[in-house]
Amino acid sequence: MEFKDYYNILGVDKGATEADIKKAYRKMARKYHPDINPNNKEAELKFKEINEANEVLSKPENRKKYDKYGKEWKHAEQFEEQQRQQQQQQGKSTRQQQSYQQGYEGDFGGGDFSDFFSSMFGGRGATGNSRTAGFKGADYSAELKLLLTDVFKTHKRTITVNGKNIRLTIPAGVADGQVIKISGYGGVGANGGANGDLLLKFNIKNNTNFKRDGDNLLLNVDLDVYKAMLGGEVTVDIFDGKVKLKVPAETENNTKVKLKGKGFPVYKKEGNFGDLIITYQISVPKNLSAEEKDLVEKLAKLRNNG
């Protein structure tokens, strides 16, 4: 299940009071209510998100669980029951350890006695002291929306997850749908356990005329029929500029040209790029004048008679 930042959805911070939450909910609900936004799917989804957020944050017990366990807040009872059972088991082990100590005290020297109980109780020793095992916090999932032009270069960006601002370095070449793990930015661990992790998924929208294919870029380039027949030059957009290409005479439709190293950056390989693959699409002129038609007919006769 994807983590939803309910505080962000309602536009409040983590320290908001119940009154703040109630006021924010009413404001957002009026804005996105289906009666005000008929046949608006986006508003309908937003309205459902707002109600979901309010259902959690407006109830103190639910809010407490959400703050502690994040997206797994509905399973808080299971987590806590698991902790209780483990603590009980550890207490039982401690009592057993003390019993063994009393029963065998006359049969072992200090060193052997310690080694014996280390093997029996996982290194907790013969003193009866044990540490309560910690539970790692829940992992959070979040989505970051970017444009294709955003990930052409490595850059820094700040995101907010569960009320925390996280400063990230976004490597050039990151892919749509790619998930990266940011250690320690998930839910808070229990009993001294480590924090969970943040699993960040990239949603990259292509805002260019290029099609991305891994590290390569694909681009269709229109070529008029005259240049295709006679040859010439054409100026082509690459991702970060323009290049001039020579077009050979008698270039056919769908001819492909590969420009090495003019594609997309390779993820985490600074200075390495894929290729740009151009496909020429020959365009036929329309709305010919009478003179143009006459010339084309003459050309056709020459070709046929030849």
Side-chain angles (χ1 to χ4, degrees):
M1 181 179 71
E2 190 172 286
F3 173 70
K4 292 183 179 180
D5 188 339
Y6 292 140
Y7 291 102
N8 187 50
I9 288 171
L10 291 181
V12 297
D13 60 38
K14 200 170 180 181
T17 64
E18 288 185 40
D20 292 335
I21 290 169
K22 187 175 183 179
K23 181 179 178 181
Y25 167 69
R26 287 180 173 175
K27 180 181 177 181
M28 298 287 283
R30 281 196 299 270
K31 181 178 179 180
Y32 292 101
H33 197 283
D35 290 346
I36 299 175
N37 302 274
N39 302 319
N40 186 330
K41 292 292 183 184
E42 188 174 340
E44 182 180 341
L45 290 173
K46 187 69 175 176
F47 186 71
K48 288 180 180 178
E49 275 192 339
I50 293 163
N51 279 286
E52 183 181 331
N54 183 63
E55 180 68 20
V56 175
L57 299 185
S58 65
K59 298 179 179 179
E61 187 61 28
N62 286 350
R63 183 178 178 182
K64 182 179 178 182
K65 293 174 184 176
Y66 173 76
D67 287 343
K68 186 173 182 180
Y69 294 104
K71 69 174 182 177
E72 303 292 349
W73 71 272
K74 290 183 180 179
H75 305 295
E77 285 83 0
Q78 290 106 304
F79 291 146
E80 289 165 1
E81 178 60 27
Q82 186 179 4
Q83 291 176 35
R84 283 193 292 271
Q85 289 177 2
Q86 185 164 357
Q87 288 167 355
Q88 288 171 1
Q89 185 62 36
Q90 288 170 340
K92 182 179 177 182
S93 296
T94 300
R95 290 191 296 274
Q96 288 175 337
Q97 177 180 343
Q98 292 169 338
S99 175
Y100 273 113
Q101 182 177 356
Q102 293 165 2
Y104 288 95
E105 190 170 5
D107 297 328
F108 293 89
D112 291 336
F113 185 81
S114 176
D115 293 342
F116 173 75
F117 277 101
S118 290
S119 64
M120 288 289 291
F121 297 103
R124 286 192 288 269
T127 62
N129 294 327
S130 64
R131 291 180 298 172
T132 302
F135 287 84
K136 182 182 177 183
D139 289 342
Y140 290 166
S141 294
E143 186 175 88
L144 179 59
K145 294 182 179 181
L146 297 170
L147 299 176
L148 189 61
T149 49
D150 292 332
V151 294
F152 187 74
K153 292 183 178 179
T154 298
H155 69 284
K156 294 186 181 295
R157 187 172 292 249
T158 299
I159 63 172
T160 302
V161 177
N162 204 26
K164 293 181 180 178
N165 290 331
I166 306 173
R167 183 73 167 166
L168 298 176
T169 297
I170 311 295
V174 69
D176 181 46
Q178 183 174 341
V179 177
I180 63 172
K181 182 174 76 173
I182 306 170
S183 299
Y185 281 92
V188 177
N191 293 333
N195 289 351
D197 303 321
L198 172 63
L199 304 177
L200 185 63
K201 181 179 180 180
F202 290 95
N203 181 339
I204 299 175
K205 180 181 178 182
N206 189 349
N207 59 328
T208 73
N209 292 325
F210 299 92
K211 180 180 178 182
R212 187 177 179 185
D213 181 18
D215 300 323
N216 294 332
L217 293 173
L218 311 180
L219 180 67
N220 291 335
V221 173
D222 289 334
L223 194 65
D224 67 64
V225 68
Y226 311 113
K227 197 165 288 183
M229 289 189 297
L230 303 174
E233 283 189 345
V234 62
T235 300
V236 174
D237 290 322
I238 58 175
F239 207 93
D240 57 350
K242 296 178 181 290
V243 294
K244 278 189 177 181
L245 299 178
K246 288 186 177 180
V247 179
E250 300 179 6
T251 293
E252 296 184 358
N253 192 42
N254 292 325
T255 294
K256 295 185 186 299
V257 176
K258 180 188 290 187
L259 303 183
K260 295 285 290 183
K262 297 298 183 183
F264 214 70
V266 179
Y267 180 67
K268 286 196 172 179
K269 290 189 177 180
E270 197 70 30
N272 290 350
F273 292 80
D275 302 327
L276 172 60
I277 300 171
I278 292 169
T279 301
Y280 287 130
Q281 302 285 326
I282 297 176
S283 56
V284 177
K286 298 178 181 179
N287 302 317
L288 296 176
S289 66
E291 185 179 0
E292 286 174 322
K293 288 180 180 178
D294 184 55
L295 290 172
V296 172
E297 287 172 356
K298 287 179 180 178
L299 177 60
K301 287 179 182 178
L302 286 172
R303 296 289 295 174
N304 291 333
N305 291 336

